[in-house]
Amino acid sequence: NGTIFSSAYSTPSGSVNFLSGPAQRNRMVITNEGLVGIGTTLPQSFVHINNPSTTDTRIQITNDTSGSGLNDGFIIGKAPNNESYITNLENANLRLGTNGTDNLIITPSGSIGVNINNPQSMLHINNTSIANTRIQITDLNRGNTINDGLIIGKNTNNESYLTNLENTSLRFGTNAIDRMIITSNGFVGIGISNPRSTVHINDSNSSIVRLQLTDSNSGFNINNGLVLAKDTNNDCYLTNYQNAIVTGK
């Protein structure tokens, strides 16, 4: 019918505008600096996409294998609540890498692999070199060098370690309560936050504080093995529950 629904024109500033639709709305702009704006006439970066509506803003990449529907392929997007996302909509891995190598992989089941293509747990870290493999946690208070913070690691001798690199305690707990503490001087406290000796056991909930030693021969019930204990009367006792002799050396 002779109606033009798309066109392009240059502005006096040197920009090129691309328009479409009966209303000839501006859909894309290339500025004289080479910035590309989609949905905006004032792009702030090399490619600037703006969605004037309240729906998600998405870049979608598909191919013949994935299909070309709304829920196909790979998307980079921003939700109306300002959350951002990178999502593989297909039943396949999402890979992130540098220098031509996959460094991080998220499988369809949600497992994350660092330097491994087939992670065997929810988070699987593999060091492809012979150096120590470490997870390091630091903050602004303690610095962020190799000798700061908390590390979980595995060395080249296949030894594993959990180490607080700072001059403070290492705490272990359950149910939001500290159950065991290793102080910076090497004292171990069980049920106490300030142990007074190499091993200090405190139980404020039981009438008797017990240290029990068992093995596969003795069994592991309450009346098995060797027990060192203290009751509420401050009486202390050393008891062998087995039919054997307690000897001292």
Side-chain angles (χ1 to χ4, degrees):
N1 57 11
T3 303
I4 299 175
F5 291 106
S6 62
S7 62
Y9 68 93
S10 298
T11 66
S13 64
S15 297
V16 178
N17 291 23
F18 296 84
L19 299 85
S20 68
Q24 288 289 276
R25 291 182 178 176
N26 200 328
R27 305 300 186 181
M28 185 173 74
V29 171
I30 304 176
T31 69
N32 60 346
E33 295 91 0
L35 305 182
V36 177
I38 300 174
T40 177
T41 58
L42 298 170
Q44 303 300 306
S45 55
F46 280 110
V47 178
H48 184 171
I49 300 173
N50 178 67
N51 188 349
S53 72
T54 58
T55 60
D56 284 15
T57 303
R58 297 170 26 138
I59 297 174
Q60 184 170 1
I61 303 171
T62 62
N63 58 22
D64 289 342
T65 303
S66 68
S68 57
L70 180 65
N71 295 316
D72 290 324
F74 167 73
I75 56 172
I76 302 172
K78 180 178 177 296
N81 61 359
N82 285 327
E83 292 180 340
S84 300
Y85 51 88
I86 300 174
T87 306
N88 184 0
L89 298 174
E90 306 300 322
N91 186 23
N93 293 338
L94 176 63
R95 301 172 179 267
L96 303 176
T98 60
N99 197 27
T101 303
D102 292 331
N103 299 123
L104 185 143
I105 290 175
I106 305 175
T107 68
S109 63
S111 296
I112 298 174
V114 180
N115 291 327
I116 185 168
N117 292 330
N118 55 339
Q120 302 300 302
S121 55
M122 291 298 293
L123 175 61
H124 187 167
I125 300 173
N126 178 61
N127 192 344
T128 56
S129 72
I130 60 173
N132 291 353
T133 303
R134 296 168 31 135
I135 298 174
Q136 184 169 1
I137 302 171
T138 61
D139 58 30
L140 292 176
N141 293 325
R142 295 298 179 180
N144 55 10
T145 72
I146 193 172
N147 294 317
D148 289 320
L150 172 73
I151 56 172
I152 303 170
K154 178 181 175 296
N155 63 24
T156 54
N157 296 323
N158 285 326
E159 295 173 334
S160 301
Y161 51 89
L162 171 64
T163 306
N164 182 2
L165 298 174
E166 307 300 330
N167 188 23
T168 53
S169 299
L170 178 62
R171 300 172 180 266
F172 301 84
T174 61
N175 197 28
I177 299 173
D178 289 334
R179 305 299 186 182
M180 184 177 78
I181 291 175
I182 305 175
T183 66
S184 58
N185 63 356
F187 285 3
V188 178
I190 300 175
I192 186 170
S193 60
N194 55 340
R196 305 301 186 184
S197 57
T198 304
V199 178
H200 187 168
I201 301 173
N202 178 70
D203 190 345
S204 57
N205 298 318
S206 300
S207 58
I208 298 177
V209 182
R210 293 166 47 109
L211 173 63
Q212 186 171 1
L213 306 177
T214 62
D215 57 25
S216 57
N217 293 321
S218 67
F220 49 85
N221 291 320
I222 191 170
N223 293 322
N224 291 136
L226 177 70
V227 173
L228 175 64
K230 177 183 177 296
D231 63 22
T232 53
N233 296 320
N234 286 326
D235 292 330
C236 300
Y237 52 91
L238 175 65
T239 305
N240 185 1
Y241 283 98
Q242 308 307 124
N243 186 20
I245 297 173
V246 177
T247 60
K249 293 184 180 180

